[in-house]
Amino acid sequence: MQRRPLLARLILSAIAVLAASSVHAQSPDWKKIRIGVEGAYPPFSEVGADGKLKGFEIDLAMALCAEMKAECTLVQQDFDGLIPALQSRKIDAVIASMSITDERKKVIAFSNPYYNTPARFTAKADAKFDFSPAGLKGKKIAVQRATIHEKFATDTFKQSEIVRYATQDQAFLDLKSGRADLTLADLVAADVGFLKTPGGKGFAFVGPSYNDVKYFGVGSGVGMRKADEKSLGKKFNDAIAAVKANGTFKKLNDKYFEYDISAK
C-alpha cells in the first residue's frame, strides 16, 4: 500500500523536473551567444591578412557582449544564409548590417537600430546616367543577393539587368572590370570599402541617395528569432543603449568613419 504514494511522488517529481527543464530551454540565460557575421563587408566586417575577423561590427559585437557579460562566438556566414542559419538555430543573433524592414520583420525580430545610412550608386567617375527607370534601361546594375539593395533595384529598375552576387566585394570587382555599369550599395560600404581603396580609383558616387523606409527600413539592428525577442532582444537593446551612453559607440564610430553613422 505504501508503494502507490511513493510512485505518485516520483511521477510528480519527474514532471516538475521536466517542466523546469522546459522553462530553462525556453528562457536561456544567454551567457553564451553565437553571433552570425558576414566577414566580407568592409569596413563593417571582413577577414584580415591574419585570418581574423575585423571591422566596425566585429568590434561592436564584442562591446555589446562585454556589456551583457556574455561569452560570444562569431560565426562567419554568407549574408543570404544568415536568416536560414538563425531559423535552424545554428546561430542565436545576427550582426551584419541587416536593415530592419517590414518584410524581414515578418520572419525574424530585431533589436533597436544601431546605425542608419542611405544607399548610393557607384560607377565610373565620368559616367553620365539618367537615374529614372527608363534612363537605366539595359544597364547592368550589380547588387548583393538577399539585400535591401537587390530588392529596391529589382522593383524600381525593371528595365535594367540586375546582376546578383554573393558578396558586395564581388559586385565591386565586376564594376571595376567593366562587367557591370553601376552597383547599388550602402553609402559607407561603398565609400570606405571601395572608393577610398586603390581599387576605387576612377570611380565615384553617382545619382541621388536612397532611403525609402519601405525598402531600406529604419536602420540596421541585431537580428534574432521571434521567440527570443523578449529575452535576448532586451539584453541587446540595453547593451546598445549602454555603449551609446558611455561613449564606446562613438569611439568605434570615429575609429572607422569620418562621420556619424549612428541611428538617431
Side-chain angles (χ1 to χ4, degrees):
M1 296 293 293
Q2 296 297 321
R3 295 171 65 182
R4 286 184 180 177
L6 176 60
L7 180 59
R9 288 198 298 272
L10 289 173
I11 291 172
L12 288 173
S13 177
I15 291 172
V17 170
L18 287 171
S21 298
S22 176
V23 169
H24 178 74
Q26 293 173 11
S27 303
D29 58 11
W30 298 116
K31 293 300 182 184
K32 293 185 178 182
I33 304 172
R34 298 162 300 168
I35 299 177
V37 299
E38 184 179 0
Y41 199 61
F44 294 98
S45 70
E46 60 183 309
V47 178
D50 58 359
K52 295 181 180 179
L53 287 161
K54 65 176 185 177
F56 171 76
E57 285 184 304
I58 303 302
D59 289 353
L60 177 62
M62 292 297 97
L64 295 177
C65 290
E67 284 293 333
M68 296 186 290
K69 295 180 172 57
E71 179 185 334
C72 292
T73 302
L74 300 182
V75 181
Q76 190 178 355
Q77 175 82 50
D78 285 348
F79 187 83
D80 58 0
L82 285 168
I83 289 179
L86 190 62
Q87 293 173 317
S88 62
R89 309 189 74 85
K90 293 179 180 177
I91 56 176
D92 304 303
V94 173
I95 298 182
S97 293
M98 188 167 283
S99 297
I100 304 167
T101 65
D102 287 341
E103 185 173 355
R104 286 183 178 139
K105 285 166 67 176
K106 294 175 183 176
V107 182
I108 64 172
F110 285 95
S111 70
N112 294 332
Y114 51 86
Y115 90 83
N116 191 14
T117 50
R120 291 288 304 270
F121 275 113
T122 303
K124 288 185 177 179
D126 58 355
K128 304 295 181 183
F129 296 102
D130 170 0
F131 287 92
S132 67
L136 291 183
K137 180 180 179 180
K139 300 299 183 183
K140 290 184 178 180
I141 300 175
V143 293
Q144 184 178 5
R145 281 197 306 265
T147 63
I148 53 177
H149 309 103
E150 178 194 8
K151 175 67 173 172
F152 177 74
T154 301
D155 287 359
T156 306
F157 302 101
K158 297 181 182 295
Q159 300 176 74
S160 302
E161 182 181 346
I162 309 301
V163 189
R164 298 164 177 84
Y165 299 85
T167 69
Q168 184 58 45
D169 278 349
Q170 292 172 356
F172 288 138
L173 284 174
D174 267 15
L175 176 67
K176 185 178 177 182
S177 70
R179 287 190 289 268
D181 299 300
L182 313 93
T183 184
L184 182 67
D186 176 81
L187 178 147
V188 176
D191 183 28
V192 183
F194 180 62
L195 294 177
K196 289 183 177 176
T197 70
K201 185 178 181 180
F203 293 85
F205 286 125
V206 293
S209 295
Y210 298 99
N211 58 6
D212 184 343
V213 172
K214 175 183 176 182
Y215 291 100
F216 300 101
V218 295
S220 293
V222 181
M224 67 203 76
R225 289 179 289 273
K226 284 180 175 288
D228 299 330
E229 183 174 10
K230 290 184 178 179
S231 57
L232 187 57
K234 184 180 186 307
K235 284 184 173 291
F236 272 113
N237 283 338
D238 289 346
I240 290 168
V243 298
K244 288 192 172 184
N246 65 24
T248 299
F249 187 94
K250 185 179 186 307
K251 182 178 179 180
L252 294 179
N253 185 108
D254 295 349
K255 175 182 176 181
Y256 289 96
F257 314 114
E258 297 174 356
Y259 32 76
D260 180 13
I261 70 165
S262 63
K264 301 299 188 288

